[in-house]
Amino acid sequence: MINGKKVLFSGMQATGNLTLGNYLGALKNWVALSDEYECYYSVVDMHSITVRQDPAVLRKRARALMTIYIAAGLDPDKNCIYYQSHVSAHAELAWILNCYTYMGEMNRMTQFKDKAAKHADNINCGLFTYPVLMAADILLYQADVVPVGIDQMQHLEITRDIAQRFNGIYGETFTIPQAYVGKTGAKIMSLQNPEKKMSKSDENPNASIYLTDDPDTIMRKCRRAVTDSEAQILYRDEQPGVKNLLNIYCACTGKTPEEAVKEFDGRGYGDLKLAVGESVIAVLKPLQDRIAQIEKDKDYLDSHIKANAERAAYTATKTLRKVQRKVGFPDRIR
């Protein structure tokens, strides 16, 4: 605990463009957590290079993600918002933890299998040991809680296993993190395939609404959203496209699915898509305006990048030094 608060850690990769799903499902909820927890939010750019990146594009996207964090309402004075690559303790602890993680455990990671299939020409060691770096991310800050989706739950479990194994050998060293259980964010699905989540890596440009999309683009994507031939607006699993549109509408307006269904009773899909588009535009405009404002003030963003990297490094280094001493590394001469 820090300052009497439990510690929360989370982060997003600096690849692709954040979607409406990222915002409504995660980022929007992070903002409400800073009063309850001591929060560390990382731009996890080290994880990003398990897949080949254009260096200039990666730098640009990392800065854009940092900007979005702040524009979304994460106060950089209250929350520690930093680049993972600016805190060397992440890489140093990851190496040590690699030596306390078994090959069989990594072989069972389903995300490695999925990513290896997608990037068969670049199945690198970083992709294989990705969960160990994630464990280092979490354990460095002695995180009590970690907000994770179902797809990341396996990585949190291996983090807990590694921490418990290390503690069992050397005594109490790491806090054993728990999955954050709180208000569930809106689960936003693809506009073109409502059976899968909206993704920033989707190859279909009409499948995802990006946080930087202009109003015309947002409206066009909503009009092209997949529905069905039933021609009735009901909130049920048998109509995944319609259900997804209703979920987006409710997340943006604060209405319940029941209220939304009643509102669109007797109306067509065209009316629903128009209303969804308008509600999304209304939610994203203040965010986009704030992004533009931050981008114009280079010194403001740079000062917080520097200050928060130092703050993160201070906390992370305390844990790292404790671990280094326990495994037998020589003390540093002051």
Side-chain angles (χ1 to χ4, degrees):
M1 295 186 59
I2 299 177
N3 299 324
K5 294 181 178 179
K6 287 186 176 181
V7 177
L8 180 147
F9 176 90
S10 194
M12 292 184 183
Q13 279 204 49
T15 53
N17 298 310
L18 288 196
T19 70
L20 181 69
N22 296 131
Y23 179 63
L24 296 177
L27 190 51
K28 188 178 178 183
N29 291 326
W30 287 4
V31 177
L33 298 175
S34 57
D35 289 332
E36 185 178 355
Y37 295 96
E38 188 75 19
C39 298
Y40 289 83
Y41 292 120
S42 182
V43 174
V44 288
D45 47 352
M46 290 169 65
H47 286 291
S48 301
I49 63 170
T50 57
V51 176
R52 293 285 179 266
Q53 303 292 333
D54 179 311
V57 172
L58 180 59
R59 277 190 288 272
K60 183 178 180 181
R61 284 179 171 167
R63 190 174 179 89
L65 180 53
M66 180 74 73
T67 302
I68 289 171
Y69 278 179
I70 298 172
L74 292 176
D75 184 344
D77 291 317
K78 182 182 276 188
N79 304 276
C80 189
I81 306 168
Y82 69 99
Y83 293 130
Q84 181 188 30
S85 63
H86 283 194
V87 181
S88 61
H90 285 263
E92 293 184 73
L93 182 60
W95 168 250
I96 295 172
L97 296 184
N98 268 318
C99 300
Y100 294 85
T101 306
Y102 300 125
M103 294 287 288
E105 292 173 317
M106 293 296 94
N107 279 325
R108 291 194 292 272
M109 294 292 107
T110 55
Q111 277 210 348
F112 169 72
K113 296 172 184 176
D114 294 342
K115 288 192 175 184
K118 292 178 182 177
H119 304 281
D121 59 335
N122 182 29
I123 305 175
N124 56 73
C125 291
L127 192 64
F128 187 66
T129 60
Y130 178 107
V132 182
L133 177 56
M134 183 177 286
D137 298 339
I138 296 166
L139 298 177
L140 273 174
Y141 301 97
Q142 303 291 350
D144 296 284
V145 293
V146 183
V148 288
I150 293 174
D151 57 337
Q152 294 290 348
M153 189 61 74
Q154 192 181 35
H155 288 167
L156 181 60
E157 287 303 318
I158 194 64
T159 298
R160 288 169 51 82
D161 291 344
I162 294 169
Q164 288 167 341
R165 181 176 302 135
F166 194 95
N167 287 356
I169 297 170
Y170 297 106
E172 202 66 28
T173 307
F174 296 120
T175 299
I176 308 301
Q178 304 290 331
Y180 170 74
V181 179
K183 181 181 178 183
T184 304
K187 189 175 182 181
I188 306 302
M189 312 303 281
S190 163
L191 295 179
Q192 294 299 308
N193 181 3
E195 300 292 342
K196 68 176 187 177
K197 281 173 60 177
M198 184 177 287
S199 170
K200 58 183 179 178
S201 60
D202 201 307
E203 294 181 0
N204 186 337
N206 292 312
S208 302
I209 295 173
Y210 301 110
L211 299 188
T212 53
D213 280 347
D214 60 62
D216 288 344
T217 300
I218 293 170
M219 196 59 75
R220 183 177 68 253
K221 289 180 177 181
C222 288
R223 283 198 298 267
R224 293 177 178 176
V226 168
T227 48
D228 52 52
S229 58
E230 294 192 32
Q232 56 180 337
I233 299 173
L234 297 173
Y235 189 78
R236 56 179 186 165
D237 292 339
E238 292 79 8
Q239 293 179 270
V242 174
K243 182 178 180 180
N244 187 40
L245 288 172
L246 287 170
N247 277 334
I248 295 172
Y249 183 68
C250 291
C252 291
T253 62
K255 295 181 179 180
T256 65
E258 293 76 16
E259 290 171 336
V261 168
K262 186 175 180 180
E263 179 181 346
F264 291 102
D265 183 34
R267 298 166 68 183
Y269 291 159
D271 289 341
L272 174 60
K273 292 178 179 181
L274 176 63
V276 170
E278 289 174 343
S279 68
V280 171
I281 291 167
V283 163
L284 293 187
K285 187 179 187 308
L287 175 66
Q288 292 172 348
D289 289 346
R290 178 63 176 142
I291 290 171
Q293 183 183 24
I294 294 170
E295 287 176 340
K296 290 178 183 177
D297 193 344
K298 182 177 182 295
D299 291 342
Y300 168 82
L301 189 57
D302 286 349
S303 66
H304 283 299
I305 289 171
K306 182 176 185 296
N308 278 325
E310 292 171 351
R311 178 179 162 192
Y314 175 78
T315 302
T317 300
K318 285 199 297 184
T319 297
L320 180 64
R321 294 289 178 262
K322 183 192 297 184
V323 171
Q324 289 172 328
R325 181 160 182 75
K326 289 199 173 189
V327 299
F329 290 174
D331 292 336
R332 300 188 178 219
I333 306 303
R334 297 182 182 275

